[in-house]
Amino acid sequence: MKKTFQILALLAIGVCFAFSLPNKGEPKRVINVVIDAGHGGKDHGATYNEFAEKQITDAITSKIKVLNNDKEVVLHFTRQGDEFTDLSKRVATVNTIKPDLMLSLHVNYTKHDEASGMEFYVNKNGVNGEKSDMYATRLSDKFKDKGFKVRGVKTAPFWTLTKSEVPAVHVELGFLSNEIDRGYLTSVASQNEIAGIVTEFLNEIK
């Protein structure tokens, strides 16, 4: 009888381990993400003296590419380097790849130089509006937690948002017209920090 109880106990432990340990045969979750570096080529975007939006978005996108060492996060890009890519081609790239998320990176500018902070835009009325809003909120919260000023998640009819057939978030990384924002947007160290936060976010959502 004692031996029977020992066998039953061992079987019970085995069952517990079977449910607690991950199934090695399960395929890993791999996500595809398109990073859209705003502007490029003849389209400089916002400018301030020698600084141009196209250079800032390209620099941060390049850093994200270098920092991402997670094989389960596959990155795609709408432009390579300083080249002009029109909006239709960008959206066509997104809709061909059909990624889990499209992030479009931009830099803001206004005549009112006191305006500052990051802004996150989605198309809440689109078929992927709810998921886009969820991603935008999570990313904005990460930046807020790291000490960046965030002006919230907003709705906008941007072409890349309304025409993309996947969850999409348009990010305004700060105001080039504001002295404080301009300082971190043009600093290599701060660009690395921004790229690191985006990379961390992508690793978390897979």
Side-chain angles (χ1 to χ4, degrees):
M1 180 67 73
K2 187 176 180 182
K3 191 171 184 181
T4 303
F5 278 120
Q6 288 176 338
I7 293 170
L8 288 173
L10 287 171
L11 286 172
I13 293 170
V15 170
C16 289
F17 273 107
F19 282 104
S20 62
L21 292 174
N23 185 350
K24 292 183 179 180
E26 279 186 14
K28 291 183 178 180
R29 159 77 167 155
V30 175
I31 66 167
N32 286 274
V33 179
V34 169
I35 306 290
D36 174 44
H39 308 278
K42 64 182 181 181
D43 180 8
H44 290 247
T47 59
Y48 185 93
N49 294 336
E50 73 273 23
F51 303 118
E53 180 177 3
K54 68 171 186 174
Q55 296 166 335
I56 295 169
T57 58
D58 183 52
I60 293 172
T61 297
S62 297
K63 293 176 190 304
I64 293 171
K65 184 178 182 179
V66 171
L67 289 173
N68 179 51
N69 55 15
D70 191 331
K71 293 180 180 179
E72 295 169 31
V73 179
V74 181
L75 300 180
H76 309 266
F77 306 93
T78 57
R79 70 175 172 97
Q80 301 293 332
D82 187 17
E83 63 179 15
F84 174 74
T85 307
D86 65 33
L87 293 176
S88 296
K89 188 174 180 181
R90 291 171 193 260
V91 170
T93 298
V94 172
N95 291 337
T96 298
I97 295 171
K98 297 191 184 307
D100 297 89
L101 174 65
M102 187 277 287
L103 280 180
S104 187
L105 305 182
H106 293 264
V107 169
N108 228 329
Y109 192 95
T110 177
K111 291 180 180 179
H112 308 289
D113 59 9
E114 70 277 6
S116 68
M118 294 183 169
E119 294 179 335
F120 300 79
Y121 290 91
V122 297
N123 175 27
K124 290 186 180 180
N125 298 321
V127 65
N128 293 291
E130 189 175 334
K131 206 160 189 179
S132 298
D133 188 50
M134 181 267 289
Y135 283 137
T137 300
R138 286 184 63 176
L139 182 56
S140 66
D141 285 347
K142 282 196 73 69
F143 276 108
K144 197 184 299 182
D145 291 344
K146 297 293 185 180
F148 286 87
K149 181 179 178 180
V150 173
R151 293 160 61 98
V153 177
K154 307 177 181 183
T155 301
F158 298 141
W159 184 270
T160 50
L161 297 181
T162 60
K163 300 300 181 182
S164 291
E165 298 168 356
V166 301
V169 180
H170 175 111
V171 185
E172 294 285 351
L173 296 163
F175 286 80
L176 196 55
S177 48
N178 178 269
E179 185 178 0
I180 294 174
D181 287 11
R182 186 167 59 251
Y184 74 73
L185 288 171
T186 59
S187 159
V188 173
S190 295
Q191 289 175 355
N192 279 325
E193 184 180 8
I194 292 169
I197 293 169
V198 173
T199 304
E200 188 177 298
F201 160 74
L202 296 178
N203 292 342
E204 289 173 354
I205 66 172
K206 67 177 189 294

